[in-house]
Every structure is written in structure tokens, then in C-alpha cells.
Amino acid sequence: MLTLLMSGLVWLKDRASGVFERSAVHGVSQTTFFVCHLSVQATIMAASNCLFIAVAVWLFDVRLSGNGTVSILTAYLLLYLQSVSTIILGQLVALTSSCHMTYLTKMAMLVFPLFFASGTLWPLESLNSPLLQALMGALPLTRPTTAMRSLISRQLPFTSPQVYGGFLVLAGYTLLFLVACLYRLRWW
């Protein structure tokens, strides 16, 4: 969630300090500015995720399924895709915010229900209603969390529907957030 907060705050800081206007004077489009922000933050997250996986596997002796290299790469790719998705979501919310306080309020209203309802802290099976289970299953954190749990705890391979389903949901949400960002940039 730190990725979500930091990506939007960097965007708002650049907007408040006049970097956008100075860049626009030199012919830099807003889409180019967005892609630059995304690529810089995605590169930082690539290194951060490598460190995270290395610490989890070698320091805390986390066991992953199947072939060691393939399963570590699968977990890394899932974590990286989640990071890119949250970077884009943070920038999308920043595009709809006028100041830091508005952004932080929107983040609190988005993050807490998303985190608590996604099955990260307790299983979705504990919900009484099948309708609620289906609704909560459509959240962007639910299937990826299940996929990571399946990789680590259940040691399932990538070909398992629980694992590749998390990738598919993340890819879908990432594309959705990206299209919404580009649309918002067009009218900003």
C-alpha cells in the first residue's frame, strides 16, 4: 500500500511545484509525463520486489512450489504486476485530486475497505452470503492474494487456476486502471 500512496504523492508534488507547466512549455505531453512517472516507479519497484523475494526466500526460508527458480520467478512476477497496478491506481486517484489532503482522504476511503474486504486478513469463506463472497471475490486484491497463498502455502504450480487466475485478474485491473488514467489525462 506504500506504493499506492507514494505514486500519487509524487504526482501531486510535481503538479504543485509547477513541473507540469514547465514541461508543457518545452513540449512534453501529459501522457509522456505519465509514462515517465510510471517507468521510474516501476523500475524502483522491480528492485524493491527483488529484495523482498530474496529476503523472504533466503532469510525467512519461505518455500515455494515446484522448481525453485520457476516458482520464485512466478512469485516475483505476481508481486511486480501487483506493484504496477497499484502505481497506476495511485496516479489515477492523484489525477482526480486537487491537493494532498483530498488525495489522502480518497486513499483512506479506497484502501481500508479494499484491504479488509479482499480476504487478505481472513478467508472469504467466512462470509455468510454467497453474493458477498462473489462481490468480494471481484476486488483487485482477492485473487492475487489467493494466488500468492497458493504459491507459498499450498505449493501449487502456475498452471493451477488459483494461481494463473490471480495473474489474469491483476492484468485486467492493470489495463482498466491504465485506460482510465489515459482517459483522465486526455481531459485533465
Side-chain angles (χ1 to χ4, degrees), residues 3-4 7-9 11-12 15 34 37-38 41 84-98 103 106-107 110 173-186 188:
T3 308
L4 188 65
S7 64
L9 288 176
W11 187 265
L12 287 171
R15 187 167 49 178
F34 168 75
H37 265 268
L38 179 62
Q41 292 173 5
V84 170
S85 179
T86 56
I87 289 168
I88 296 172
L89 178 60
Q91 290 182 353
L92 176 63
V93 174
L95 283 170
T96 63
S97 302
S98 58
Y103 175 74
K106 287 179 182 180
M107 281 293 106
L110 175 74
Y173 271 106
T174 302
L175 287 176
L176 177 72
F177 296 151
L178 182 62
V179 167
C181 257
L182 293 175
Y183 180 78
R184 180 71 175 135
L185 277 172
R186 183 175 178 192
W188 184 45

Side-chain angles (χ1 to χ4, degrees), residues 154-183:
R154 300 178 192 125
Q155 298 188 347
L156 295 177
F158 177 77
T159 55
S160 169
Q162 291 177 337
V163 177
Y164 72 76
F167 278 93
L168 292 176
V169 167
L170 264 179
Y173 271 106
T174 302
L175 287 176
L176 177 72
F177 296 151
L178 182 62
V179 167
C181 257
L182 293 175
Y183 180 78

Side-chain angles (χ1 to χ4, degrees), residues 42-53:
T43 303
I44 292 169
M45 286 313 299
S48 175
N49 289 342
C50 278
L51 183 62
F52 179 80
I53 294 289

Side-chain angles (χ1 to χ4, degrees), residues 54-171:
V55 167
V57 169
W58 288 295
L59 187 63
F60 293 109
D61 201 29
V62 171
R63 302 280 180 208
L64 295 168
S65 63
N67 183 358
T69 306
V70 173
S71 59
I72 290 172
L73 183 62
T74 305
Y76 172 79
L77 289 175
L78 183 66
L79 192 60
Y80 184 71
L81 190 57
Q82 181 70 47
S83 298
V84 170
S85 179
T86 56
I87 289 168
I88 296 172
L89 178 60
Q91 290 182 353
L92 176 63
V93 174
L95 283 170
T96 63
S97 302
S98 58
C99 66
H100 290 81
M101 286 308 296
T102 306
Y103 175 74
L104 291 174
T105 303
K106 287 179 182 180
M107 281 293 106
M109 291 172 33
L110 175 74
V111 168
F112 290 123
L114 183 67
F115 187 69
F116 287 115
S118 67
T120 304
L121 299 176
W122 53 80
L124 290 179
E125 291 80 18
S126 66
L127 294 172
N128 293 333
S129 168
L131 177 65
L132 277 178
Q133 288 181 7
L135 286 174
M136 299 310 148
L139 294 173
L141 283 179
T142 306
R143 300 289 179 226
T145 301
T146 304
M148 190 61 85
R149 238 184 244 137
S150 298
L151 280 170
I152 295 172
S153 299
R154 300 178 192 125
Q155 298 188 347
L156 295 177
F158 177 77
T159 55
S160 169
Q162 291 177 337
V163 177
Y164 72 76
F167 278 93
L168 292 176
V169 167
L170 264 179

